[in-house]
């Protein structure tokens, strides 16, 4: 691998031949070498990072499409989660300013879904801050899913933690098309992220989701103290599972959490992560998610042109995002088409 890192031009040419010439996925050796490149080293008329982003864009267009898919999320249950994920202000373990809220009602969720559809989103994800759903929560999920299906054209996705096989089947039967359960971090780094559950428990839930006919949505958060190599490790673990969608979040340090003092990634480091994930996961819907405004700042357009083909629009679970109109204007300025509603599946 040292030889690959020492020859950025040769490495990128190899990756291009594999991904675009042979339409194959990268071997681990190339993935780890890409992670360790000096992104500021000269390359052609620019730097290595520029070449990586250019290749990532061409891979995205070739393997997926030029379109960007928009999704809106709503917190069906906010706060009071018993897990100790070190990045999360919804954990009851930490002294944060996020307090437990009651479950959202059907009218509240329907209003959010209709607003998201009017703003151009094609998918609506209901997110619950829980270890996993109990029966009361399952009933709420099924009721809200039916409401959104009845009154909008939106496809419903759900994120509700660790599932049993019986729960996965009920969600699938209700028409939930996609289930989100992020691995969050590479297996080697996960013990520094959470201790109340394991990486393997998350992996087991993803297997259940796939076995019961739902699409798998799984990604992670970068900027939690992991190395670049561990980012490649996470992407390779995801590649083994081959999720339909990969949300890429950037740490937005939350007051009261163990990671509150960690500085957000610098924009060029965030762009490197985007290109790295696209090159390792060429088929996936790579969706920019929480923290993108903090990490990328004014370079969000560069991320779109560097391999991204999805955005979460509007606000996130406990943090504010840009308005959907701002994102739509950015995509218009970049001349990037938005995926039409009927083309989602």
């Amino acid at each position: 691998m040292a030889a690959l890192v020492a020859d950025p031009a040769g490495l990128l040419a190899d990756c291009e031949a594999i991904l675009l010439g042979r339409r194959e996925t990268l071997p681990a050796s190339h993935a780890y070498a890409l992670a360790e490149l000096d992104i500021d080293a000269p390359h052609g008329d620019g730097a290595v990072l520029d070449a990586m982003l250019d290749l990532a864009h061409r891979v995205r267009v070739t393997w997926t499409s030029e379109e960007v898919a928009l999704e809106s999320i709503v917190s069906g249950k906010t706060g009071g989660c018993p897990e100790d994920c070190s990045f999360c202000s919804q954990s009851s373990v930490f002294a944060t300013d996020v307090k437990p809220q009651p479950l959202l009602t059907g009218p509240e969720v329907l209003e959010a879904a209709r607003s998201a559809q009017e703003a151009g989103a094609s998918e609506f994800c209901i997110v619950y801050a829980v270890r996993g759903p109990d029966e009361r929560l399952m009933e709420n999920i099924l009721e809200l899913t039916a409401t959104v299906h009845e009154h909008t054209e939106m496809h419903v996705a759900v994120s509700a933690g660790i599932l049993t096989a019986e729960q996965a089947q009920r969600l699938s039967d209700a028409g939930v098309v996609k289930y989100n359960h992020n691995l969050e971090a590479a297996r080697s780094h996960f013990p520094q992220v959470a201790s109340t559950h394991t990486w393997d428990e998350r992996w087991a839930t993803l297997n259940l989701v796939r076995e019961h006919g739902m699409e798998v949505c799984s990604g992670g958060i970068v900027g939690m103290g992991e190395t670049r190599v561990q980012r490649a490790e996470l992407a390779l673990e995801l590649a083994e599972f081959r999720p339909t969608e990969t949300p890429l979040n950037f740490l937005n340090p939350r007051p009261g959490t163990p990671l509150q003092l960690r500085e957000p990634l610098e924009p060029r480091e965030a762009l490197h992560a985007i290109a790295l994930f696209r090159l390792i996961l060429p088929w996936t819907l790579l969706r920019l998610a929480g923290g993108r405004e903090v990490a990328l700042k004014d370079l969000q357009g560069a991320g779109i042109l560097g391999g991204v083909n999805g955005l979460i629009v509007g606000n996130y679970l406990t943090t504010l995002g840009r308005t959907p109109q701002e994102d739509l204007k950015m995509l218009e300025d970049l001349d990037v088409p938005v995926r039409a509603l009927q083309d989602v599946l």
Side-chain angles (χ1 to χ4, degrees):
M1 190 176 72
L4 290 172
V5 176
D7 181 17
L11 171 61
L12 291 171
D14 274 358
C15 291
E16 180 173 356
I18 294 167
L19 288 162
L20 298 181
R22 303 202 298 270
R23 287 294 295 269
E24 298 173 357
T25 56
L26 294 181
S29 59
H30 287 61
Y32 286 123
L34 288 169
E36 295 195 278
L37 286 177
D38 178 359
I39 61 174
D40 295 316
H43 185 282
D45 295 330
V48 166
L49 178 60
D50 302 315
M52 278 189 68
L53 291 168
D54 173 71
L55 177 57
H57 173 70
R58 289 185 286 131
V59 167
R60 187 262 278 192
V61 171
T62 299
W63 280 71
T64 62
S65 75
E66 294 190 47
E67 298 173 323
V68 170
L70 306 184
E71 179 185 49
S72 177
I73 62 175
V74 65
S75 182
K77 176 190 174 297
T78 302
C81 181
E83 304 305 287
D84 67 352
C85 302
S86 58
F87 55 84
C88 186
S89 60
Q90 300 197 66
S91 171
S92 62
V93 178
F94 313 129
T96 73
D97 58 2
V98 176
K99 305 306 177 187
Q101 302 294 319
L103 293 174
L104 287 187
T105 64
E108 289 172 323
V109 168
L110 182 56
E111 180 182 1
R114 283 173 168 162
S115 296
Q117 182 170 293
E118 291 170 3
S122 54
E123 188 169 292
F124 188 71
C125 186
I126 309 171
V127 183
Y128 297 82
V130 292
R131 174 185 175 85
D134 57 18
E135 183 54 32
R136 174 171 173 262
L137 192 60
M138 281 296 297
E139 292 293 335
N140 180 261
I141 295 170
L142 298 176
E143 176 187 341
L144 297 183
T145 299
T147 297
V148 173
H149 282 159
E150 181 180 355
H151 297 286
T152 77
E153 298 177 88
M154 300 285 273
H155 298 282
V156 175
V158 169
S159 179
I162 296 168
L163 297 176
T164 66
E166 184 262 348
Q167 289 170 336
Q169 185 62 60
R170 291 169 70 187
L171 292 175
S172 179
D173 290 344
V176 172
V177 298
K178 188 181 296 179
Y179 193 84
N180 166 254
H181 195 52
N182 291 335
L183 289 178
E184 303 298 15
R187 184 196 288 267
S188 68
H189 189 63
F190 194 85
Q192 281 68 60
V193 174
S195 66
T196 49
H197 63 275
T198 66
W199 186 95
D200 292 290
E201 286 178 285
R202 288 178 175 262
W203 187 264
T205 287
L206 295 183
N207 275 315
L208 287 175
V209 169
R210 172 154 292 163
E211 288 170 7
H212 289 85
M214 291 178 284
E215 293 181 359
V216 171
C217 172
S218 187
I221 304 173
V222 295
M224 296 193 293
E226 78 285 346
T227 66
R228 282 188 182 177
V229 167
Q230 286 173 319
R231 290 174 202 160
E233 179 190 345
L234 171 59
L236 286 166
E237 288 163 347
L238 290 166
E240 183 180 343
F241 202 86
R242 206 174 175 91
T244 302
E245 179 177 333
T246 305
L248 188 58
N249 299 272
F250 302 93
L251 180 68
N252 184 354
R254 296 291 83 205
T257 66
L259 294 178
Q260 65 178 343
L261 299 181
R262 181 165 291 281
E263 290 294 322
L265 287 184
E266 291 296 320
R268 287 177 63 78
E269 193 72 12
L271 288 174
H272 175 259
I274 290 170
L276 184 66
F277 271 68
R278 169 53 69 201
L279 296 175
I280 298 174
L281 301 158
W283 66 85
T284 198
L285 199 168
L286 183 60
R287 194 183 295 276
L288 281 189
R292 61 183 168 101
E293 297 86 356
V294 173
L296 288 166
K297 298 184 172 63
D298 293 332
L299 294 181
Q300 291 191 63
I304 296 292
L305 298 179
V308 167
N309 59 334
L311 290 175
I312 289 180
V313 295
N315 295 327
Y316 308 109
L317 300 178
T318 60
T319 58
L320 299 178
R322 307 199 309 177
T323 67
Q325 290 72 27
E326 287 177 293
D327 283 328
L328 288 169
K329 180 64 166 61
M330 175 181 68
L331 295 173
E332 180 183 349
D333 291 342
L334 295 171
D335 197 26
V336 174
V338 174
R339 182 180 296 184
L341 177 63
Q342 64 268 24
D343 294 333
V344 172
L345 294 181

